[in-house]
Amino acid sequence: MASSNGTAAASGQRSAAAKRGEATKRRQAASRRNTTARRAAGKAAASRVSAETKQADAVGTQIAGVAESAVLIPVGVALETADRVVQALRPWTTRTGAERELNRVRRSARRFERRGSVARNRVVRQTRVRRNRVVRELRKRRGQLVRVVSRQRTQTNRTLKQNRRRVQTELRKQTREVRKAVRPQVTRVQSSLQEQVDQTRERVQQLV
């Protein structure tokens, strides 16, 4: 009986120890998980901070570069302009150089003058050719117009003469027809007048 009680007590102790061990394992696992999560969060935060720091550095570098360019570009332009002015004036600083540059300018002026003269002569020739072409065309058209007018005038005169002859012929024809139609009436009128005259004369003689 005592042995059974001892076995039950030992079994309870082992069960309690096992439970405590499992609880300890669960706490340790939870602790490891929390540690891993904290480490992961710390790494993510560090990565984000590092990326933001790099981006800020890049932006700062770009801003510094732009500011530096804004300062250096006018300086470079001024220096380049000064160098060009010095290079342009350098040949004129000595007598020999000035004479050489003056001769070069004169040659350039003569070359420009020749080109201008050639261009002017070309324009004058082209203008003369166009003017002669226009004059020839005007003369040709004027000759054509004169011939057309002369032809029309000749044709008009011919037509007028033909119409005048036709009218005169028609008038003579109408006149002959009128005379032919009026002659019998004139004869009758003359006969009637002669009869009346004769009758009047006879009456006058009878009265006398």
Side-chain angles (χ1 to χ4, degrees):
M1 192 69 174
S3 177
S4 297
N5 291 331
T7 301
S11 177
Q13 290 177 356
R14 286 196 298 272
S15 177
K19 289 180 179 180
R20 286 195 298 273
E22 290 179 359
T24 301
K25 289 179 180 180
R26 285 196 296 272
R27 285 196 300 272
Q28 290 177 352
S31 178
R32 286 195 296 273
R33 286 194 297 272
N34 292 332
T35 301
T36 302
R38 286 195 298 273
R39 288 177 179 176
K43 288 181 179 180
S47 298
R48 186 168 59 254
V49 170
S50 178
E52 292 177 354
T53 302
K54 290 180 180 180
Q55 185 176 3
D57 292 339
V59 172
T61 302
Q62 291 178 359
I63 294 173
V66 172
E68 186 176 3
S69 298
V71 174
L72 294 179
I73 286 174
V75 176
V77 170
L79 293 175
E80 184 68 21
T81 304
D83 292 339
R84 292 184 179 181
V85 172
V86 170
Q87 291 177 1
L89 295 178
R90 184 174 298 167
W92 298 89
T93 56
T94 62
R95 182 174 180 178
T96 305
E99 290 179 353
R100 185 170 55 251
E101 289 298 319
L102 186 59
N103 291 330
R104 185 175 63 82
V105 171
R106 287 174 178 172
R107 288 194 300 271
S108 298
R110 286 194 296 270
R111 186 173 66 253
F112 295 151
E113 184 179 0
R114 286 195 300 272
R115 292 190 63 182
S117 178
V118 171
R120 182 196 60 191
N121 294 335
R122 184 184 303 112
V123 171
V124 169
R125 285 195 302 271
Q126 292 177 354
T127 304
R128 187 180 297 114
V129 169
R130 292 194 183 96
R131 185 187 62 188
N132 294 334
R133 186 183 301 115
V134 171
V135 170
R136 286 195 301 271
E137 185 68 22
L138 288 176
R139 288 177 180 174
K140 180 180 178 181
R141 293 187 179 181
R142 185 176 63 184
Q144 292 176 352
L145 182 61
V146 169
R147 287 193 295 272
V148 170
V149 171
S150 178
R151 189 181 304 113
Q152 291 292 334
R153 183 174 59 189
T154 303
Q155 185 175 359
T156 302
N157 291 333
R158 187 182 300 114
T159 303
L160 288 174
K161 288 180 180 179
Q162 292 175 356
N163 291 334
R164 185 173 58 188
R165 292 194 190 98
R166 188 178 300 110
V167 170
Q168 290 176 353
T169 303
E170 187 69 24
L171 283 175
R172 285 194 295 269
K173 182 180 178 182
Q174 292 293 333
T175 302
R176 285 194 301 269
E177 291 179 355
V178 169
R179 287 177 180 177
K180 186 183 297 184
V182 171
R183 186 176 294 117
Q185 296 177 3
V186 171
T187 303
R188 283 196 300 272
V189 170
Q190 289 177 350
S191 299
S192 177
L193 288 174
Q194 188 65 37
E195 290 178 358
Q196 291 178 1
V197 169
D198 293 339
Q199 291 176 2
T200 303
R201 185 177 300 167
E202 288 178 359
R203 290 176 183 177
V204 168
Q205 289 178 356
Q206 290 176 2
L207 289 174
V208 172

